[in-house]
Amino acid sequence: MECYLDNSATTKPCSEAVDAAMDALTNRWGNPSSLHSVGDSANDLLTECRKTAAKHLKASPDEVIFTGCGTDSNNLAIFGAVRALKRRGNRIITTDIEHPSVELPMQRLEEDGFEVVRLPVDKDGRISVTDLKNAVNKKTILISIMYVNNEVGSIQPIKAARAAVTKAASPALIHCDCVQAFGKLPVVPRQMGADLVSASGHKIHGPKGVGLLYVKKGIRILPYLLGGGQERGLRSGTEAMPNIAGFAAAMDAVGDLDQNYSHVKTLRDSLVEQLLAQNPETSVVINSGEDALPYVLNFSAPGIPSEVMRNFLSERGVYVSTGSACSKGHRSRVLEEMKIPPERIDSAVRVSFSRFNTQEEVDYTAQCVSDAIATLRKH
Ligand code: PLP
């Protein structure tokens, strides 16, 4: 049996995305900027895809900028906002557990002399609203907080950022990395109070190499990729129509968010229950908080190194990840910030679900983890 449970790393493209990408490659391969009918056909497709993305974000099509990936969206949001607002202040607020595509731009901005304040997280990987409110002042120009964490699934109180900005009379723009939330929770930038929102195609059963950045109407950010002026001048480069078409089709294919959520929650709860019931106390410890998004479950089998568990499971067709696929070889910063003891961090495994996973897969996975514990603890 094969169980792909690494959906936070990437997802298998759904048939709707594959068909749409294939159609764009085969029939609508023109350059959307070309001024003839081949170009017009590609441009019409681009317009349709932008409308689709806008529909899912409950936004206006001209607020959607297609980019090359989630990393591209995060970099554009952060560097774009800071370059536009640098005369108004020097302070940037983020958290201790951001994805590297936010954390590394923050380190670059620090090198350039900006003051970066990283909010700490509690044992469940959540920041405190009070800390957030206290951190924002008149000199704050950007707040960048992820909605859902990729390693443990913690959900941040993103709406509190808008209240903090208003109270402090700060000019700050609010950016939210929604790469792990989009297609799983409602991502409606206006309701979240966000000015800038990032999402990525390959996390929602779309193609790799495409992302989007929502940029609220009236907000000015500056581009870092300069060239032909595509995407309202914010992200130059000929639009990758097969990827964009696949992304839009994948958005439409997501279906009912609540239904998917409850299906995945049943799977997550069942896996937790089986792991805890089948193994003696302390054999398995759950690292994700109770309120985490059920799509991500992080657990440890202390004493069994993460990579040993991962390889044992992989040999049996169960694909999970150790920490995040993006931070290969390093002890997880996210788990360290959650103050999880080192021996638990070194045995942490991330299971990440999609709406396509089944109860049968969960039962098989629980059995394989128990087999791993029984086999590997003997040695
Ligand atoms: N942000 C988060 C929270 C992620 O999990 C990821 C990818 O794992 C990214 C950003 C980067 O997305 P992409 O792989 O599309 O560059």
Side-chain angles (χ1 to χ4, degrees):
M1 182 168 194
E2 293 241 307
C3 306
Y4 184 77
L5 290 171
D6 199 11
N7 291 285
S8 290
T10 198
T11 52
K12 181 180 176 184
C14 60
S15 59
E16 292 87 342
V18 172
D19 290 349
M22 203 56 170
D23 181 55
L25 272 171
T26 315
N27 303 314
R28 321 265 303 252
W29 45 266
N31 184 329
S33 301
S34 292
L35 301 174
H36 45 61
S37 59
V38 177
D40 289 346
S41 165
N43 193 43
D44 290 347
L45 178 60
L46 180 58
T47 304
E48 283 166 36
C49 294
R50 209 184 299 287
K51 279 190 192 153
T52 301
K55 175 183 73 186
H56 290 282
L57 295 163
K58 295 198 175 36
S60 148
D62 56 7
E63 294 177 313
V64 176
I65 304 297
F66 286 113
T67 66
C69 54
T71 299
D72 189 357
S73 303
N74 285 344
N75 275 257
L76 172 58
I78 293 167
F79 290 122
V82 168
R83 281 195 72 225
L85 282 173
K86 64 179 185 217
R87 285 196 186 80
R88 312 268 314 263
N90 192 44
R91 189 174 165 92
I92 301 166
I93 315 286
T94 187
T95 82
D96 265 336
I97 61 161
E98 294 300 311
H99 186 266
S101 58
V102 169
E103 170 53 24
L104 294 180
M106 292 297 170
Q107 289 178 19
R108 174 68 61 84
L109 290 167
E110 263 173 334
E111 284 163 23
D112 290 348
F114 289 90
E115 180 198 7
V116 176
V117 177
R118 293 177 182 78
L119 302 174
V121 293
D122 63 14
K123 63 169 190 21
D124 291 335
R126 277 172 60 94
I127 59 165
S128 115
V129 170
T130 312
D131 285 352
L132 173 58
K133 278 191 187 140
N134 291 341
V136 182
N137 67 18
K138 277 201 171 65
K139 291 284 171 201
T140 307
I141 54 171
L142 174 67
I143 300 177
S144 180
I145 296 177
M146 71 196 328
Y147 197 7
V148 171
N149 180 267
N150 47 303
E151 290 190 43
V152 293
S154 54
I155 302 172
Q156 302 301 351
I158 188 70
K159 279 187 189 160
R162 176 55 59 201
V165 163
T166 308
K167 188 161 173 280
S170 150
L173 293 181
I174 298 170
H175 167 239
C176 187
D177 173 355
C178 289
V179 167
Q180 294 292 346
F182 188 58
K184 295 170 189 155
L185 290 176
V187 171
V188 181
R190 275 204 164 65
Q191 285 170 12
M192 296 160 64
D195 300 302
L196 302 160
V197 164
S198 308
S200 172
H202 73 109
K203 310 290 186 180
I204 67 155
H205 297 283
K208 288 163 195 56
V210 60
L212 67 79
L213 182 68
Y214 160 90
V215 182
K216 190 178 168 187
K217 213 171 263 173
I219 294 298
R220 195 176 84 98
I221 61 169
L222 295 174
Y224 71 95
L225 260 188
L226 304 177
Q230 290 88 347
E231 299 300 299
R232 290 207 283 117
L234 287 177
R235 209 286 180 178
S236 282
T238 303
E239 288 92 347
M241 287 319 302
N243 294 353
I244 292 173
F247 188 13
M251 291 180 212
D252 276 344
V254 164
D256 188 86
L257 290 182
D258 291 341
Q259 211 171 309
N260 296 340
Y261 184 97
S262 59
H263 171 65
V264 167
K265 186 166 183 333
T266 305
L267 299 182
R268 193 273 310 253
D269 290 351
S270 168
L271 182 59
V272 170
E273 199 185 305
Q274 295 189 57
L275 289 178
L276 298 180
Q278 289 172 11
N279 300 288
E281 229 172 285
T282 74
S283 280
V284 171
V285 189
I286 306 299
N287 299 319
S288 294
E290 296 234 334
D291 294 336
L293 190 72
Y295 285 79
V296 185
L297 178 71
N298 196 301
F299 70 88
S300 297
I304 303 178
S306 311
E307 57 282 6
V308 174
M309 175 67 87
R310 185 195 57 213
N311 294 344
F312 185 97
L313 294 177
S314 175
E315 280 163 16
R316 284 151 188 81
V318 176
Y319 308 115
V320 300
S321 95
T322 46
S324 101
C326 320
S327 58
K328 293 176 207 149
H330 300 285
R331 184 174 276 165
S332 161
R333 188 172 48 90
V334 175
L335 299 180
E336 277 184 339
E337 295 300 342
M338 288 164 66
K339 310 283 183 297
I340 290 182
E343 64 279 11
R344 249 167 76 191
I345 299 183
D346 292 341
S347 59
V349 169
R350 178 187 69 181
V351 166
S352 47
F353 297 102
S354 106
R355 65 183 186 275
F356 294 118
N357 288 120
T358 63
Q359 183 65 48
E360 207 188 355
E361 291 174 335
V362 163
D363 297 345
Y364 178 69
T365 300
Q367 190 52 54
C368 290
V369 172
S370 296
D371 291 349
I373 291 170
T375 312
L376 301 169
R377 283 253 167 82
K378 279 193 200 137
H379 299 289

